[in-house]
Amino acid sequence: MILLTVLFLCIISTYSASVKGHTTGLSLNNDRLYKLKYSTEVYVDQVKGQLHESVGYRISSDVDVNLLWRNPDGDDNQLIKITMKNVNVEHANEHKGGQNIFKGKNSQKIFGRDNLASLEKPVLLHLMHGKVMDYYSYPNEPVAMENLKRGVASLFQMQLTSGSANEVDISGNCEVVYQAQQNKVTKIKALNTCKIPRSGFTTHNQVLGISSKSTSTTTYLIEDSFVTAVMAEEIYAFGLNYLRTLTGKIVSKQRLELKSTEVGPGLIPGKQVAAVVKKVDAQYSSSPLVGQLAHTDCKNCPSLPEFWKTVRKQMQPENLSKAEAARAFLTFILRLRDAKKDEILQILKSENKDVLPQLVDAVTSAQTPDSLEAILDFLDFQSDSNVLLQERFLYACGFATHPNEDLLKTLIAKFQSPIKSNDIRETVVIIMGALVRKLCQKEGCKLPAVVEAKKLILAGLEKPESKKDVKMYLLALKNALLPEGIPLLLKYAESGEGPDSNLAITTLQRYDVSFITNEVKKTMNRIYHQNRKVHEKTVRTSAASVILHNKPSYMDVKNLLLSIGELPKEMNKYMLSTIRDILHFEMPASKMVRRVLKDMMTHNYGRFSGSGSSSAFTGYVARDPHAASIYSLDILYSGSGILRRSNLNLFQFIGKSRLHASQVVIEAQGLEGLIAATPDEGEENLDSFAGMSAILFDVQLHPVTFFSGYSDLMSKMLSASGDPISVVKGLILLTDYSQVLQLQSGLKSNVEFQGGLAIDISGTMEFSLWYRESKTRVKSRVAMVVAGDITVDSSFVKAGLETSVESETGLEFISTVQFSQYPFLVCMQMDKDQAPIRRQVTSYERLATGRGFVSRKRKEKLWAGSEFPLHQENSDMCKAVFGTQPESTSSSWF
């Protein structure tokens, strides 16, 4: 038995030694020169484009490889020399009409003499167990040429056995998986795991963001521990989430094929690889195998003032409803990102008041240190002479696509310094809340500035310096959505005054369902059922919304349904319409509502036959298997027929991601005295007030007041022109994606997607005592441009794809109330203007010398305007209103 054990151990030892002595990677024979043919080609196109129709180019060369040194202690430690010769570049595809930018040009003219000479200088590769330990090249070589050689050298890094590993090559430090068969090895590289220093950013919101996929597969055919052929393919694909027609892809291929072997130079003696390298050429130095970034200065590019002159006209106020304004905005932002502070400040100081607001939008949206310093030097927050510019700066900060901690620090510092305008002071805090949320979404909740801003907002609610400040901090929390702020919201919701209570509850409506605990629902139930104090209708209906949209229990729903029939008339109708909307639209709560309605005590004709004009309705703007656009409109009236609240929302859903695209809320109170009507119970002492609040792309904006108090009301009635009041107007950067990709071949790709919006949202309330009619209007005009730009640049030739989609449209909500009779007549209308959709795709190839090929495709179609459907009762009411409408209306106010 002992003899067998000893024999077994001897066999194992012998086997282990043989494996150890055998190479685990490629192995070159002594005194041999391997002659190979290499080519790399790159294609750029839309995702669904055919490869043979894509733009791109091919680089080919001969490659000589020979072994310089092998460690005497083992085959797996080698130094090899790689030399590219007879380099050529040509187009990857034939173009229509035979256009060929390379025709008649030799390699020296295309590359340039110095570049070509650099490319043909040999590099050394130190391999151990098939992995690259060091890469040696000559210093101060052109980065683009050196990267091409890194792309060739990286192909020699591989292992002959199956398994996973981390490898450092031209793509960075990447996770790879090897699958080995008899004479074939496949290497799959997970490109999304590659760690490589690269600048870039993306829009965090998934709805407004970019989806990308990448694959990398390299196949080795092996004979006698060396390659006979290598085939590599790398694919990157990109697509805009909310506009799936805007896509792009890059396909990069490499091929290395052994043509012959011949007698080569002998080995260089030595024990240390560094000493051997010096013997080859003392000028060689070790450098990273990871691809390096080359800094390129733009030649013949206009200066910033010169570029501004080319886009200035398109950004005039009268053009803000046109796509050309959004297009100019995007191109100017890209130019601003390369500009210095002094250049930017010079333009800001030289412009007039008409264009300055749009210029402030662009400078702030550039989101660079220089642009931020310039705008802060330009704006004076201790003066109220440029309040509009200060507001546009703050809103652009709120819409920032990739904010950083420095931006939040800036706002905190501004808030802690004197600010002349109180509205601007409030807006600073509100936008701080928006930045806190965005930074937390990027896992930046523990950043010092974020912690400080959170403390400031929460402390402002715990111990406000004045009652007026409560609204400001509640609005900031409505943007920040801090979980630790929920107890404070509950306190203000239940114990605060009407406006503060309603604002606290509408803030809770924005929290994810996971944060709406049983304690929150208990508080909302107490508010709705008025267990502790009497609340206004707006407060109670907002509380009901929190309950119904956050997994209500059986008793929650039952108690709400039992209250219907016992409520004030218009609130009763509003709640009834809300329940019907939940059932009609199959909202999550609909199953529980149906379950409760099986109880006949809850579901009876007397309870569900109430009359009134208040309503709630939800519908689809558009939907497909991938995405859905949803609108909702709810409107609550007082018992005398005067508007209390209208709430218009637009949501965009993509998969499980949601974007609150817009919300416009108009609220009014205390207007019954104008028509000698009796206020509803509990609302007898409300001051006259009307105002508008808006959420835009998930950012709560500063509310707008139409009037506050009876004297202000009468003053504006007598002096008003009837012109709409602007809620938000300007240029917004929606989508912002920029990445620099290092391709395996050594080529570099830039991928950029930008989406811009020119927007104008305004509102009016018109009132006619003579005709006893009121009319509320909310009008939105938007122009959108989304552009993608993908280029593959090798310094001597560039191929690229530019694609864009643009459109202009408008949405108007009109609520008409005739209170000359009772029950009063109410008609709601939601109209969408026609929208032209223009799409353009440009593909190009261009030499550094200037010769180029360009292909342009353009498509345009018109989406017809339409009126969004609401419930049948509204349609019947509109027929009655417009059937008896007078020929003219009285003057309007504010």
Side-chain angles (χ1 to χ4, degrees), residues 435-453:
L435 293 180
V436 165
R437 185 183 181 200
K438 289 186 176 186
L439 289 170
C440 282
Q441 287 174 334
K442 297 197 296 181
E443 300 181 355
C445 255
K446 294 183 180 179
L447 293 171
V450 176
V451 173
E452 185 180 356

Side-chain angles (χ1 to χ4, degrees), residues 701-733:
L701 308 181
H702 191 287
V704 174
T705 299
F706 292 153
F707 62 81
S708 181
Y710 190 74
S711 59
D712 190 24
L713 163 62
M714 297 310 296
S715 171
K716 287 179 177 170
M717 276 190 68
L718 296 172
S719 62
S721 63
D723 294 333
I725 290 181
S726 177
V727 180
V728 61
K729 185 175 186 177
L731 295 158
I732 300 173
L733 184 62

Side-chain angles (χ1 to χ4, degrees), residues 536-805:
E536 297 173 26
K537 293 192 298 293
T538 51
V539 175
R540 296 177 68 190
T541 52
S542 294
S545 178
V546 173
I547 297 167
L548 289 169
H549 292 93
N550 290 279
K551 297 181 179 179
S553 68
Y554 182 89
M555 289 309 298
D556 287 337
V557 176
K558 183 172 182 177
N559 288 332
L560 284 173
L561 292 178
L562 287 174
S563 71
I564 295 176
E566 309 297 330
L567 304 170
K569 185 173 182 177
E570 285 300 324
M571 182 179 172
N572 197 77
K573 180 61 189 301
Y574 179 88
M575 288 302 300
L576 181 60
S577 185
T578 298
I579 295 297
R580 285 173 174 164
D581 190 42
I582 289 172
L583 295 172
H584 161 77
F585 203 70
E586 294 290 342
M587 294 181 190
S590 60
K591 291 182 180 179
M592 184 60 74
V593 171
R594 286 193 171 90
R595 182 182 162 196
V596 174
L597 287 176
K598 291 178 181 179
D599 181 356
M600 294 308 297
M601 186 178 78
T602 306
H603 190 193
N604 61 71
Y605 177 79
R607 193 179 307 283
F608 287 88
S609 62
S611 61
S613 300
S614 300
S615 63
F617 188 83
T618 304
Y620 286 104
V621 178
R623 61 172 166 169
D624 59 36
H626 170 73
S629 300
I630 294 172
Y631 70 92
S632 69
L633 171 64
D634 63 79
I635 190 161
L636 176 65
Y637 292 98
S638 68
S640 55
I642 293 179
L643 175 74
R644 281 294 270 122
R645 181 187 67 213
S646 72
N647 185 357
L648 174 62
N649 291 277
L650 290 174
F651 295 94
Q652 180 70 42
F653 292 86
I654 294 179
K656 295 182 179 179
S657 300
R658 186 188 86 154
L659 174 70
H660 197 166
S662 73
Q663 179 190 69
V664 180
V665 179
I666 294 180
E667 292 188 276
Q669 65 180 40
L671 302 182
E672 286 78 9
L674 291 174
I675 57 172
T678 303
D680 292 344
E681 183 181 358
E683 299 182 355
E684 297 88 354
N685 300 317
L686 295 180
D687 291 333
S688 299
F689 169 84
M692 184 184 298
S693 176
I695 292 173
L696 198 59
F697 303 111
D698 271 333
V699 177
Q700 170 69 54
L701 308 181
H702 191 287
V704 174
T705 299
F706 292 153
F707 62 81
S708 181
Y710 190 74
S711 59
D712 190 24
L713 163 62
M714 297 310 296
S715 171
K716 287 179 177 170
M717 276 190 68
L718 296 172
S719 62
S721 63
D723 294 333
I725 290 181
S726 177
V727 180
V728 61
K729 185 175 186 177
L731 295 158
I732 300 173
L733 184 62
L734 290 181
T735 298
D736 201 10
Y737 180 94
S738 178
Q739 298 293 327
V740 178
L741 303 177
Q742 179 60 65
L743 303 182
Q744 292 175 172
S745 61
L747 298 172
K748 181 194 71 171
S749 176
N750 292 324
V751 181
E752 294 189 342
F753 286 86
Q754 271 82 34
L757 199 70
I759 190 166
D760 184 0
I761 299 178
S762 58
T764 58
M765 288 184 68
E766 302 170 358
F767 199 88
S768 170
L769 291 175
W770 181 260
Y771 292 107
R772 297 180 71 81
E773 180 182 276
S774 69
K775 188 169 287 191
T776 305
R777 295 176 184 267
V778 177
K779 189 163 187 175
S780 303
R781 290 288 307 164
V782 295
M784 184 183 77
V785 173
V786 186
D789 185 6
I790 299 176
T791 62
V792 178
D793 193 354
S794 60
S795 80
F796 53 89
V797 61
K798 180 189 291 187
L801 172 76
E802 296 174 355
T803 177
S804 67
V805 177

Side-chain angles (χ1 to χ4, degrees), residues 221-234:
L221 301 182
I222 309 296
E223 187 176 306
D224 192 23
S225 296
F226 192 71
V227 295
T228 56
V230 183
M231 290 81 70
E233 183 175 76
E234 179 182 32

Side-chain angles (χ1 to χ4, degrees), residues 36 38-40 59-65 81-88 111 116-123 135 145-153 256 745:
L36 303 100
Y38 172 75
S39 68
T40 179
I59 300 171
S60 59
S61 75
D62 296 328
V63 176
D64 288 353
V65 181
K81 180 181 178 182
I82 303 171
T83 308
M84 297 179 72
K85 296 180 177 180
N86 304 319
V87 184
N88 186 41
F111 283 95
L116 188 59
S118 171
L119 194 57
E120 294 185 344
K121 287 182 181 178
V123 296
Y135 171 81
M145 300 302 104
E146 200 62 44
N147 281 342
L148 289 174
K149 291 189 281 188
R150 287 185 173 102
V152 176
L256 187 65
S745 61

